[in-house]
Amino acid sequence: MRYLPKSPSDREAMLADIGAKSIDDLFATVPAEYRLTRDLNVPRQHGEQEVIEHFKAFAEKNALGYASFLGAGAYRHYRPVLIDTVVSRGEFLTSYTPYQPEIAQGTLQALFEFQTMICELTGMEISNASMYDGSTGAAEAVMMAVRVTGRNGAVVARTVHPEYREVLTTYAQHQSIPKTEVDYDPATGRVDLAKLDAAITDDTACVLIQSPNFFGTIEDVAAIAEIAHKKGALLIVSIAEAISLGIVKPPVEADIVAMEAQSFGVPVGYGGPYCGVIACKEKFLRQMPGRLAGETKDLDGKRGFVLTLSTREQHIRREKATSNICTNQSLVALMVTVFLTVYGKGLKDLAEQNLAKAHYAAQTIGGSGKVLFGGAPRFNEFVLQGSKTAEAANAALLEKKIVGGLPLERFYPELGPNTSLWCATELTTRAQIDAAAEVLK
Amino acid sequence: MGDKFVGTPKKASVHVNQNEDLIFEKSSPGKKAYRLSELDVPAVDAAALLGDAVRTDLGVMPELSEIEIVRHFTRLSTWNYAIDLGMFPLGSCTMKYNGRVNELVARLEGLAEAHPYQPESLSQGVLEIMQVLSDSLLDITGMDSITLQPAAGAHGEFTGILLVRAYHESKGNPRKKILIPDSAHGTNPATAAVVGYQVQNLKSNAEGMVDLAELEKLVDEDTAALMLTNPSTIGVFESEIHKIADILHAKGALLYMDGANMNALVGKVRPGDFGVDVMHLNLHKTFSTPHGGGGPGSGPVACKKILEPFLPTPVLATKNDGTLTLDYNRPQSVGRVRAWYGNFGMFIRALAYILANGPDGLRQTTEDAVLNANYLRAKLEDVFDLPFKTASMHEVVFSDKLQAKNGVKTGDMGKRLLDYGFHAYTVSFPLIVAGAMMIEPTESESREELDLLIDALRQIAREAEENPELVKTAPHTTRLRRLDETTAARKPILRWKAPAASTPLTPDTAAKEW
Ligand SMILES: Cc1ncc(COP(=O)(O)O)c(C=O)c1O
């Protein structure tokens, strides 16, 4: 086997050194009745070239060469070449969690840079070094708010990504955190503020919203924060389309931001790995889940970085930890860091292109029906109510090698079968938009 | 570096190491590392479209050119130790070689650019990858059903214990407590708490194994499950595993297995055959997906038939026409544990690893992993204390007892290993061993590399006798010396700020939220 660096004579010599007659001696503690005496039923051993061919065959059975208008929490953006150049370096790719800071400064400094950029973009004071993804990050943020406030309930906007809400339900149920959902205003697609106000009680730990929300609409974060804070609840803002932060005001009124940073240079990759992250006000530091990289000095006074405040974490606190998370998404956070370094302040230009493409797409494709929720600003997504069902429209589009918007009835039955969620990014071309509009005309 | 060593380090010597500031300190206005494609639609006035919501300032976001960015991250990378540079003897972490073809196939366009909401008819390739991987993992574990959704080991534990809870609830009573051996990893008790269970500590016996009499005493109608790591965290197979399972099952409780140590079992022994009801795997350990400096991982959960109805949605299924589909209609499901289907990119890599190995390669891998650990044990047991004498499988746990007499602790010797060109072993875990030195070589190490580690550790043991200060103040050759972790925690600086504004968080405000 080509990954195994031993010759048969090495193995024999080592067994002799150990004083074992055969390798089976080393498995003697396994009761005989449990030893597997047959080959595993897995594919036979493949050569490297065969492995590649195998996966090329898988890849060809997927959408290849299609134009896509799908977003909905997984966004296609251009990935600068430098990202893979950097993360392919074995020193980053094949290192462990930086428990030995003296020989992990590369990872640690990059994480510190990541945390800084996330703070800067979100308007929060501190950030952790990543969570699994946006959905689990939002759920962990809610549990964090419960610990901070000593209150119990969560009020959640229905405009938060439906799959994030499902994950929250799974997490919240055994923490006895009652979850109330608040509807949106049908004119704007934003949280209905009056209903929100009514839903918050003295026991509400937090309000969870998403902005831009699942419909692509930008929420009135300041107004929502005022309502939440007036009743002593924290405001958690989830962000699924991180590129929006280049042109949309950061949710500085929030107490906690739980975001998905996938848009920052991470492939859509059939849903993962992505990069969740929690950022918040510094006063909530002790309740923050996950790893934190912090600055310090070595014995000679030189600046360096370490994982810090680990008394919050499972390996010290065990069942009293702020979360059970251990391995997070470090290499993906590095992808994000490289992406954000390449664009830097230019994130604004990139976000503006997204705005322009989506605006053009909404005008052009919107001509085939009605763009809903016109009463509020949008980023790079819009909801289209077509003249035929979204399924029928998408079937016609597929014939022209176009993947249309995401049909919404599955998540929002009240919107009916004709609505779908469309996304246009800097990768979407005018020709693709025009072609889609032509099919739908 | 003569005076920094008692002996000679065979593996390492010093070389020039470039300094590099934080990216923000290198930024200057007007530099750019990107150029957008020409806009092919009319430009928009962001302020007009967004109104009050428009952003105008991006604060300290950096401005640099491409060459500076490449150098920045390349210089940082040279400050890391990594598997590609040498052995990572971290016990419990299974730091094995990460095949490079895995990275290549994970980046194939049809896979890396598959959108999670694209139609199933255009996703058969990705679903087939999930299917073949699932089938392989089921045969490897001897279990009946599987979900690939969990994002890491701890997330797998969470999912597995949710299944346990749903199972007991379906019988009318979720039960109250989860039994956890004192040798367990911290994620086990943390997980039990997240799923709303009380943690009951199970004391290990004199061999560091499950104490059957104690288990018998503790298991009752309130016990939902035992979370067991097998081989245990001291690297020993629980030979009485069948009795453990019987004791639990007799009271209606389930056996959960933390699969962190599956690298000792693949192709040789199957948890499903020895009584395990539910377990997680770490694709980032046993199945070679890279650790990436702390993730991404992937923690599939495999279970017996009785738990299948409760698996997270969606579940992979085959339609009548033979095509694959995702089944969302699962009324007894515990719900979702993550958006979409899991860390799909890791599924590709794990399957590529299985393909490269085949059944023969996987078995040989396990045998080599066990051989390597036993070789280290045989070559080191005369210089380090071995608290438990039971036969080791894929890892060996020594203690610092002999060296501690001279004031040299496990952490010191771990740090000293850095000088010798190695990463440290796992320090101070498991908790049942005072001064634990937990060493897991994996199958990826040649005899020559193992001999270098043996040589280094033997020299360190000698230094601990002859010049303990040298070990206690290690490392001496790294670019930074020991870091002040106490100040890092007392006065946390968690982000960069422009010099004028750079002050630590005030301990007062932070302390209030303890
Ligand atoms: C025994 C054991 N259990 C659980 C875990 C947690 O796994 P993860 O870090 O993937 O969440 C680890 C690894 O760190 C481990 O060694």
Side-chain angles (χ1 to χ4, degrees):
Chain A
M1 204 283 133
R2 68 193 155 99
Y3 295 158
L4 298 175
K6 267 190 215 58
S7 66
S9 66
D10 282 337
R11 293 191 178 100
E12 267 168 41
M14 289 170 71
L15 281 172
D17 280 344
I18 294 167
K21 280 196 289 299
S22 77
I23 189 74
D24 286 338
D25 284 7
L26 303 184
F27 288 84
T29 51
V30 178
E33 68 261 41
Y34 299 133
R35 291 192 215 150
L36 192 65
T37 50
R38 62 161 171 89
D39 272 355
L40 283 171
N41 187 12
V42 300
R44 67 161 174 86
Q45 197 174 122
H46 284 56
E48 186 173 278
Q49 185 190 343
E50 288 179 306
V51 171
I52 295 170
E53 279 161 10
H54 218 88
F55 281 94
K56 277 192 175 153
F58 286 132
E60 275 156 22
K61 290 185 193 169
N62 295 325
L64 261 179
Y66 281 72
S68 172
F69 289 91
L70 289 171
Y75 300 96
R76 286 173 60 247
H77 289 288
Y78 179 69
R79 301 182 62 240
V81 170
L82 286 199
I83 295 173
D84 281 343
T85 304
V86 170
V87 301
S88 298
R89 284 196 64 97
E91 298 92 330
F92 285 128
L93 184 73
T94 74
S95 62
Y96 198 71
T97 305
Y99 289 140
Q100 294 290 339
E102 297 89 347
I103 51 169
Q105 284 300 304
T107 294
L108 285 161
Q109 180 166 328
L111 288 175
F112 187 78
E113 292 175 352
F114 169 83
Q115 291 173 183
T116 303
M117 290 198 257
I118 294 295
C119 287
E120 200 65 32
L121 290 173
T122 57
M124 293 291 105
E125 290 159 345
I126 55 172
S127 158
N128 71 9
S130 75
M131 301 299 286
Y132 301 136
D133 78 332
S135 70
T136 54
E140 292 262 17
V142 167
M143 295 196 291
M144 177 179 166
V146 167
R147 292 190 299 269
V148 166
T149 58
R151 296 173 170 202
N152 225 357
V155 172
V156 182
R158 275 190 78 221
T159 48
V160 171
H161 196 299
E163 298 203 16
Y164 289 17
R165 282 182 284 134
E166 282 180 54
V167 173
L168 174 59
T169 305
T170 310
Y171 271 82
Q173 58 189 337
H174 304 305
Q175 300 287 310
S176 318
I177 301 173
K179 176 174 151 250
T180 317
E181 295 207 339
V182 174
D183 228 326
Y184 52 88
D185 174 341
T188 60
R190 289 166 147 188
V191 175
D192 182 320
L193 298 182
K195 287 186 180 155
L196 176 72
D197 195 26
I200 304 173
T201 71
D202 288 347
D203 203 32
T204 302
C206 61
V207 172
L208 171 66
I209 64 161
Q210 178 181 318
S211 185
N213 67 25
F214 191 67
F215 300 138
T217 302
I218 297 157
E219 297 281 2
D220 187 346
V221 179
I224 294 169
E226 200 183 317
I227 294 170
H229 291 158
K230 192 180 63 192
K231 299 202 178 171
L234 302 187
L235 175 62
I236 304 171
V237 176
S238 161
I239 301 170
E241 174 41 301
I243 298 291
S244 64
L245 289 169
I247 196 80
V248 176
K249 221 160 67 184
V252 289
E253 302 87 353
D255 300 285
I256 305 172
V257 171
M259 70 183 274
E260 171 56 76
Q262 176 268 327
S263 285
F264 293 152
V266 184
V268 285
Y270 209 56
Y274 286 0
C275 182
V277 49
I278 294 184
C280 65
K281 297 270 153 71
E282 70 178 54
K283 62 185 175 184
F284 305 134
L285 175 61
R286 308 290 171 179
Q287 295 303 340
M288 176 81 104
R291 302 222 149 97
L292 294 164
E295 182 182 320
T296 187
K297 288 189 164 52
D298 81 347
L299 284 172
D300 294 333
K302 283 199 239 161
R303 177 171 71 185
F305 303 91
V306 292
L307 291 179
T308 191
L309 293 153
S310 54
T311 50
R312 302 161 298 115
E313 292 187 71
Q314 46 76 28
H315 57 281
I316 311 279
R317 276 284 172 94
R318 297 176 82 86
E319 66 267 29
K320 297 200 178 63
T322 53
S323 164
N324 69 341
I325 194 168
C326 180
T327 294
N328 54 15
Q329 302 284 122
S330 215
L331 196 75
V332 195
L334 179 61
M335 287 188 181
V336 167
T337 309
V338 177
F339 178 97
L340 289 175
T341 305
V342 168
Y343 282 106
K345 284 203 165 62
L347 194 61
K348 175 169 175 291
D349 298 345
L350 177 63
E352 227 164 53
Q353 274 214 354
N354 277 255
L355 203 60
K357 300 270 188 169
H359 186 68
Y360 179 77
Q363 283 183 331
T364 315
I365 295 170
S368 68
K370 186 173 165 219
V371 173
L372 298 186
F373 312 133
R378 291 188 298 266
F379 180 53
N380 64 2
E381 287 174 287
F382 60 91
V383 175
L384 176 72
Q385 187 169 49
S387 53
K388 43 186 171 187
T389 68
E391 298 293 349
N394 280 350
L397 287 162
L398 278 185
E399 306 221 330
K400 299 278 180 220
K401 294 206 99 175
I402 299 169
V403 179
L406 176 72
L408 285 178
E409 192 182 22
R410 162 180 162 200
F411 298 122
Y412 299 93
E414 72 278 12
L415 293 177
N418 291 19
T419 55
S420 51
L421 176 65
W422 290 67
C423 175
T425 71
E426 78 281 6
L427 288 176
T428 316
T429 64
R430 179 180 198 142
Q432 290 169 342
I433 296 169
D434 292 345
E438 182 64 26
V439 175
L440 296 181
K441 196 168 64 182
Chain B
M1 49 193 202
D3 62 332
K4 288 177 175 170
F5 287 87
V6 168
T8 37
K10 289 192 184 154
K11 194 170 176 237
S13 58
V14 287
H15 75 116
V16 169
N17 201 284
Q18 312 226 13
N19 294 326
E20 181 70 7
D21 289 337
L22 285 160
I23 199 77
F24 313 101
E25 294 160 340
K26 307 196 67 178
S27 169
S28 49
K31 286 190 190 178
K32 264 186 195 177
Y34 71 95
R35 187 194 193 290
L36 297 177
S37 304
E38 206 156 12
L39 189 63
D40 59 359
V41 298
V44 292
D45 176 356
L49 286 181
L50 299 176
D52 280 354
V54 77
R55 176 176 207 156
T56 48
D57 180 36
L58 280 171
V60 305
M61 291 304 285
E63 294 171 275
L64 291 99
S65 64
E66 183 162 327
I67 174 66
E68 292 166 293
I69 297 172
V70 169
R71 287 203 179 135
H72 178 71
F73 289 104
T74 305
R75 285 173 183 162
L76 294 195
S77 78
T78 65
W79 303 348
N80 272 4
Y81 187 78
I83 272 289
D84 281 2
L85 288 166
M87 183 179 185
F88 241 91
L90 270 175
S92 209
C93 301
T94 316
M95 288 296 282
K96 60 169 69 184
Y97 171 63
N98 309 136
R100 278 313 197 282
V101 69
N102 306 1
E103 296 306 308
L104 184 142
V105 294
R107 286 174 169 79
L108 291 174
E109 189 187 339
L111 305 179
E113 293 184 12
H115 192 284
Y117 283 135
Q118 72 191 26
E120 274 178 6
S121 61
L122 293 177
S123 305
Q124 289 299 304
V126 290
L127 296 177
E128 270 179 42
I129 289 172
M130 290 167 69
Q131 181 73 60
V132 181
L133 177 64
S134 296
D135 289 346
S136 299
L137 297 178
L138 285 175
D139 197 59
I140 287 167
T141 54
M143 307 297 275
D144 300 321
S145 301
I146 192 163
T147 175
L148 303 177
Q149 206 174 91
H155 203 213
E157 293 171 28
F158 171 66
T159 308
I161 298 302
L162 281 175
L163 298 183
V164 167
R165 189 168 182 117
Y167 167 82
H168 288 303
E169 269 168 4
S170 78
K171 300 232 171 305
N173 175 8
R175 302 190 170 204
K176 294 205 180 73
K177 62 188 188 193
I178 301 273
L179 281 173
I180 299 182
D182 47 12
S183 55
H185 193 261
T187 51
N188 293 185
T191 296
V194 182
V195 188
Y197 280 116
Q198 291 160 21
V199 173
Q200 190 165 25
N201 193 34
L202 178 63
K203 258 180 67 79
S204 300
N205 65 18
E207 277 79 57
M209 312 300 292
V210 169
D211 185 328
L212 289 184
E214 184 72 11
L215 179 70
E216 188 104 54
K217 250 194 338 216
L218 293 182
V219 181
D220 59 23
E221 267 67 36
D222 280 335
T223 310
L226 166 70
M227 288 180 93
L228 190 68
T229 310
N230 192 23
S232 69
T233 56
I234 56 167
V236 174
F237 192 84
E238 294 275 2
S239 294
E240 300 198 292
I241 185 75
H242 51 297
K243 291 192 194 147
I244 295 173
D246 287 348
I247 292 171
L248 292 161
H249 291 155
K251 293 278 165 67
L254 300 179
L255 176 56
Y256 182 95
M257 187 177 112
D258 180 329
N261 293 342
M262 270 304 283
N263 214 42
L265 305 184
V266 174
K268 301 290 286 184
V269 200
R270 308 191 317 158
D273 294 339
F274 59 65
V276 170
D277 298 298
V278 50
M279 64 178 293
H280 77 264
L281 294 161
N282 297 279
L283 300 187
H284 49 299
K285 297 184 180 179
T286 319
F287 296 93
S288 91
T289 75
H291 267 274
S298 176
V301 170
C303 65
K304 290 282 173 62
K305 268 241 143 43
I306 48 163
L307 296 173
E308 196 258 357
F310 312 110
L311 286 173
T313 49
V315 169
L316 195 59
T318 310
K319 288 204 279 208
N320 289 335
D321 64 2
T323 59
L324 293 166
T325 184
L326 292 162
D327 180 10
Y328 290 85
N329 184 16
R330 312 267 310 170
Q332 287 186 281
S333 166
V334 296
R336 272 186 175 285
V337 296
R338 185 195 180 284
W340 299 301
Y341 328 110
N343 278 345
F344 178 78
M346 300 299 115
F347 309 163
I348 301 175
R349 292 168 174 87
L351 183 57
Y353 169 82
I354 290 172
L355 285 172
N357 276 283
D360 43 342
L362 290 176
R363 188 192 308 111
Q364 184 72 61
T365 293
T366 303
E367 291 176 355
D368 280 5
V370 172
L371 179 67
N372 281 358
N374 278 282
Y375 182 72
L376 291 178
R377 174 171 160 164
K379 297 277 183 175
L380 291 168
E381 62 186 329
D382 60 324
V383 286
F384 296 107
D385 170 62
L386 189 66
F388 302 113
K389 307 289 186 269
T390 324
S392 296
M393 293 204 72
H394 68 302
E395 67 192 4
V396 54
V397 181
F398 293 109
S399 94
D400 63 11
K401 192 165 150 196
L402 303 176
Q403 291 71 33
K405 282 185 302 208
N406 296 327
V408 174
K409 304 278 180 47
T410 175
D412 301 323
M413 293 189 281
K415 292 278 184 230
R416 185 63 174 146
L417 263 186
L418 314 187
D419 285 330
Y420 282 90
F422 288 96
H423 194 274
Y425 46 74
T426 292
V427 171
S428 306
F429 174 73
L431 303 179
I432 56 168
V433 175
M437 309 164 63
M438 183 197 231
I439 306 179
E440 179 183 8
T442 85
E443 72 282 4
S444 301
E445 301 312 327
S446 65
R447 190 179 171 198
E448 293 76 15
E449 184 85 4
L450 294 172
D451 285 339
L452 288 173
L453 180 77
I454 291 161
D455 179 69
L457 280 169
R458 295 188 75 89
Q459 294 209 40
I460 293 169
R462 202 177 115 204
E463 289 168 357
E465 291 289 327
E466 296 172 7
N467 188 358
E469 267 321 292
L470 186 64
V471 185
K472 280 156 68 178
T473 51
H476 302 284
T477 57
T478 47
R479 66 174 281 111
L480 296 181
R481 295 178 62 204
R482 284 196 200 191
L483 288 132
D484 182 353
E485 307 206 11
T486 310
T487 306
R490 290 233 177 100
K491 297 184 176 162
I493 304 174
L494 302 173
R495 59 155 295 176
W496 182 83
K497 283 183 186 158
S502 184
T503 44
L505 302 187
T506 38
D508 281 356
T509 52
K512 259 186 281 174
E513 309 296 331
W514 267 95

